[in-house]
Amino acid sequence: MPTEDAHNFESPHAVRMSLAAAMTLGYKKGLFYRNARLYCINLLLTYRQGCAAKCAYCGLSSHRRGTYEGKSFIRVPWPMYPVDDILERISERQERVKRICISMITHKRAVQDTKDVCRRLRSAFDIPVSLLISPSIVGYDDLVDFKAAGADKIGVAIDTATPDLFDRFRGSGVGGPHKWDRYWQCLTEALSVFGEGHAGSHFMVGMGETEEQMCAALQRVRDAGGRTHLFSFFPEPDSKMAGHEPPPLDQYRRIQLARYLIDGGLFRADKFGYDGKGRIRDFGLLPRELDEVVDSGAPFRTSGCEGYDGQVACNRPFANSRPGPLMRNYPFPPIREDVLRIREQLGSAAGEGLEREE
């Protein structure tokens, strides 16, 4: 019987998985707030040496105290299990699992192991596989190999909205290996290999950027043919940013709405109105148009890779906020009461009407 105490395992024989994925596959018992359900099995490569990167906000950073196996990631534990057993459990739950995501870490063996694990998953069943890669150790030929191994989507977690913030929190500011230009170059290469809409980037709101800067980064990805997924910064205990506060909820709600408009090609970031502090004051839509978008609740659902049914599978229940009425990303469709609360949280840019006259 496999257990999370299988300390002798490393990738490609073992991987870590999110707590929610462990619940989905029956390793862990429990229920989510409002019966939220996860449809993506999020896997993470694992090595005794851990990740060589030193990102200031990341729970896996080599700067953070503790063993790699014991470090939380995006707020929750990631227990470790043998890949053989994971394959068996997914096979028994194929009606429930709509996507699998393999996340690399920055480790010399991670590129080849990602190819091997992806190939095993795709050979075992027809469930789409995404790869969240580390551009610092991935080359163009590796992207070609990833596609040959069966992956259909690539994620490049640029995370920060500006080169200065990237360098401060991921590059020279923390003695880390990552470079802003390499991340954007890798995203372009991934789009050339996988095609428009099949590569994109994660961004984290609340790293010190203005809303205008974040919107510009989201638009840059969209103009390149990519898609974006949002996280709200949440401080990991004992990380270099443990004392950094999450972004105000009104800021996060406005960026969620902006991302939805930009990613869907409904409006451009350079057409939004901004105030002197770079905050969005006008989304550029007529009031009734914006009302329809907000009332749909769609902008505030978790953005992530879809399953074959076209619905978001990687809905990451409560991955960057605690469960409750102040949740940042909705892992299910918001109901009417949720939308009314979201309107209050949005602030004047969308919750109380627009400056533009119809």
Side-chain angles (χ1 to χ4, degrees):
M1 181 71 179
T3 75
E4 62 194 79
D5 296 324
H7 293 300
N8 292 327
F9 287 101
E10 288 187 309
S11 296
H13 308 294
V15 293
R16 297 174 68 178
M17 71 171 62
S18 69
L19 177 61
M23 290 166 59
T24 300
L25 295 187
Y27 288 115
K28 298 285 188 180
K29 294 182 178 179
L31 293 173
F32 280 115
Y33 176 67
R34 290 174 58 175
N35 203 30
R37 302 183 72 181
L38 173 70
Y39 299 97
C40 177
I41 301 302
N42 300 98
L43 306 176
L44 176 69
L45 298 188
T46 184
Y47 306 96
R48 291 187 187 90
Q49 301 95 328
C51 182
K54 301 175 181 177
C55 303
Y57 52 87
C58 183
L60 302 178
S61 170
S62 58
H63 276 314
R64 194 178 179 211
R65 291 181 298 177
T67 62
Y68 176 73
E69 296 86 2
K71 291 178 178 177
S72 61
F73 181 47
I74 321 177
R75 210 179 73 82
V76 298
W78 287 60
M80 181 171 64
Y81 301 100
V83 170
D84 287 345
D85 194 69
I86 292 170
L87 287 167
E88 184 176 331
R89 291 186 180 233
I90 293 175
S91 290
E92 296 167 351
R93 296 165 174 80
Q94 293 187 55
E95 79 291 347
R96 171 79 184 272
V97 179
K98 297 182 178 180
R99 178 165 286 277
I100 302 167
C101 180
I102 306 171
S103 294
M104 294 176 62
I105 62 173
T106 306
H107 187 283
K108 60 185 178 183
R109 286 166 42 197
V111 175
Q112 185 59 50
D113 290 346
T114 298
K115 298 172 188 175
D116 292 344
V117 174
C118 180
R119 191 175 294 108
R120 289 195 65 190
L121 291 166
R122 291 296 288 143
S123 298
F125 25 68
D126 186 20
I127 297 174
V129 175
S130 304
L131 304 180
L132 183 61
I133 63 173
S134 177
S136 299
I137 56 174
V138 167
Y140 181 89
D141 290 344
D142 295 317
L143 294 167
V144 175
D145 290 346
F146 290 155
K147 187 172 184 179
D152 72 330
K153 290 184 183 295
I154 293 292
V156 176
I158 297 172
D159 285 352
T160 60
T162 72
D164 288 347
L165 290 172
F166 188 99
D167 193 53
R168 183 191 311 171
F169 295 127
R170 311 196 68 185
S172 65
V174 290
H178 300 322
K179 304 288 186 184
W180 167 266
D181 289 342
R182 174 57 197 149
Y183 268 62
W184 282 97
Q185 179 189 32
C186 187
L187 176 59
T188 301
E189 292 170 349
L191 285 163
S192 72
V193 173
F194 284 81
E196 181 172 347
H198 291 276
S201 183
H202 293 181
F203 285 95
M204 193 181 309
V205 177
M207 301 293 286
E209 77 286 348
T210 68
E211 295 174 25
E212 185 172 9
Q213 289 170 332
M214 180 57 76
C215 289
L218 299 173
Q219 188 66 61
R220 180 176 175 182
V221 175
R222 186 64 177 82
D223 289 346
R227 301 295 183 267
T228 52
H229 303 149
L230 284 185
F231 288 79
S232 177
F233 171 79
F234 189 94
E236 295 273 12
D238 299 323
S239 70
K240 283 184 171 293
M241 297 183 70
H244 189 87
E245 292 291 328
L249 191 48
D250 64 314
Q251 175 186 346
Y252 192 65
R253 292 288 183 237
R254 287 192 293 273
I255 294 298
Q256 284 181 301
L257 183 49
R259 187 212 69 85
Y260 182 83
L261 296 173
I262 294 167
D263 241 38
L266 302 174
F267 219 77
R268 291 188 56 83
D270 50 15
K271 301 298 182 184
F272 296 161
Y274 303 94
D275 68 13
K277 295 183 178 179
R279 293 176 299 205
I280 301 169
R281 62 173 177 78
D282 177 3
F283 287 92
L285 297 177
L286 296 172
R288 60 176 172 74
E289 295 173 331
L290 192 58
D291 280 345
E292 290 177 5
V293 174
V294 173
D295 288 345
S296 75
F300 313 102
R301 296 185 65 178
T302 309
S303 50
C305 292
E306 307 89 357
Y308 286 139
D309 60 4
Q311 300 299 308
V312 171
C314 187
N315 59 344
R316 311 183 297 277
F318 317 113
N320 58 187
S321 66
R322 294 185 175 88
L326 299 181
M327 71 180 88
R328 300 286 167 131
N329 297 323
Y330 281 79
F332 39 66
I335 60 176
R336 182 62 183 165
E337 288 78 4
D338 295 322
V339 172
L340 292 174
R341 187 180 300 111
I342 288 167
R343 281 194 169 279
E344 294 176 358
Q345 296 165 345
L346 267 167
S348 60
E352 300 170 5
L354 293 169
E355 297 178 2
R356 176 171 292 192
E357 296 294 333
E358 187 168 4

